[in-house]
Amino acid sequence: ETGVTQSPTHLIKTRGQQVTLRCSSQSGHNTVSWYQQALGQGPQFIFQYYREEENGRGNFPPRFSGLQFPNYSSELNVNALELDDSALYLCASSLPGLAEETQYFGPGTRLLVL
Amino acid sequence: SQQGEEDPQALSIQEGENATMNCSYKTSINNLQWYRQNSGRGLVHLILIRSNEREKHSGRLRVTLDTSKKSSSLLITASRAADTASYFCATDARVNDYKLSFGAGTTVTVRA
């Protein structure tokens, strides 16, 4: 176990709805990264937060947004859900200044968009 | 876009045999890491190798890195049923602002 938790574990939404996914990082980690993993693919980087500020973003549209709170927990929000948003969403935390090194992943939230 | 590509896509071996998988990438990198994922759950970090290193060991794992060929290999020796998982390489590079870029993974099945 990495100490990174995510909620909920599973979620079913319909197209056009909005969803919020949550992540609590490992103690002492103030950097959180979010990834989308489609079935049979590797994780794709969505964005990263460091000390409550966005610190890098992948090739995802603005309807994917995030927040990081003072306790370093984080949220991923997706608006206007599309069928292709169905995926496993993973968050990962890392030590300050070492985000490119070892990342500690949570178990993920599996989102199904109907 | 994904920087790394793993080969093969899938591998089936007998318990006790060795498993080798390869990763190729496109641009110069800072570090390369290998992660394991069991049944669509979270990823577990296995090993990190820096661009100035050529080989690294951790328990039954051996990783090599050839920066001239832009490739890496992961060897699991004396495999066990518990090694059944998907294995991903991930690189960080200046071109991606040092954010991790994962390949599509190799699915390894270890038969008892």
Side-chain angles (χ1 to χ4, degrees):
Chain A
E1 297 295 324
T2 62
V4 179
T5 60
Q6 291 186 245
S7 62
T9 56
H10 295 82
L11 202 51
I12 299 175
K13 291 286 189 178
T14 55
R15 198 169 44 181
Q17 285 188 312
Q18 177 266 342
V19 69
T20 298
L21 310 181
R22 296 178 175 83
C23 171
S24 291
S25 58
Q26 185 159 315
S27 178
H29 290 185
N30 60 8
T31 301
V32 174
S33 302
W34 285 91
Y35 297 86
Q36 180 195 66
Q37 186 179 21
L39 202 60
Q41 299 296 315
Q44 294 280 311
F45 174 72
I46 303 175
F47 44 56
Q48 183 182 92
Y49 278 82
Y50 171 64
R51 291 187 173 181
E52 304 176 56
E53 297 286 332
E54 188 178 287
N55 181 41
R57 187 178 183 92
N59 190 24
F60 280 81
R63 60 189 185 84
F64 285 77
S65 63
L67 280 174
Q68 187 180 31
F69 300 99
N71 66 356
Y72 305 135
S73 65
S74 177
E75 285 183 356
L76 164 65
N77 299 289
V78 188
N79 293 323
L81 283 167
E82 300 176 1
L83 298 180
D84 285 349
D85 296 333
S86 295
L88 180 68
Y89 288 85
L90 297 161
C91 77
S93 71
S94 51
L95 288 167
L98 295 176
E100 71 275 14
E101 300 206 3
T102 302
Q103 296 204 6
Y104 297 83
F105 282 82
T109 293
R110 189 163 295 282
L111 172 66
L112 177 61
V113 182
L114 301 176
Chain B
S1 61
Q2 292 188 302
Q3 157 90 302
E5 288 186 11
E6 285 91 343
D7 170 60
Q9 287 187 328
L11 186 58
S12 180
I13 56 173
Q14 201 74 30
E15 205 166 24
E17 292 180 338
N18 295 341
T20 300
M21 60 210 86
N22 303 297
C23 168
S24 59
Y25 55 91
K26 298 172 186 172
T27 65
S28 295
I29 60 169
N30 186 37
N31 301 316
L32 186 144
Q33 304 181 49
W34 286 91
Y35 286 82
R36 184 186 75 225
Q37 184 178 39
N38 292 86
S39 300
R41 301 288 288 170
L43 280 75
V44 174
H45 180 260
L46 296 176
I47 199 164
L48 179 152
I49 187 165
R50 302 188 188 282
S51 58
N52 62 354
E53 296 176 312
R54 291 296 168 257
E55 188 170 314
K56 208 161 182 180
H57 297 253
S58 177
R60 295 183 295 112
L61 306 179
R62 182 173 80 101
V63 169
T64 63
L65 179 64
D66 187 335
T67 53
S68 67
K69 295 181 180 177
K70 293 187 171 59
S71 68
S72 173
S73 68
L74 170 66
L75 168 67
I76 305 173
T77 60
S79 63
R80 305 166 181 169
D83 295 328
T84 294
S86 292
Y87 292 82
F88 296 89
C89 69
T91 58
D92 69 88
R94 184 178 177 183
V95 68
N96 290 327
D97 197 24
Y98 302 109
K99 302 299 186 284
L100 285 187
S101 177
F102 286 82
T106 293
T107 299
V108 175
T109 302
V110 181
R111 305 186 307 273

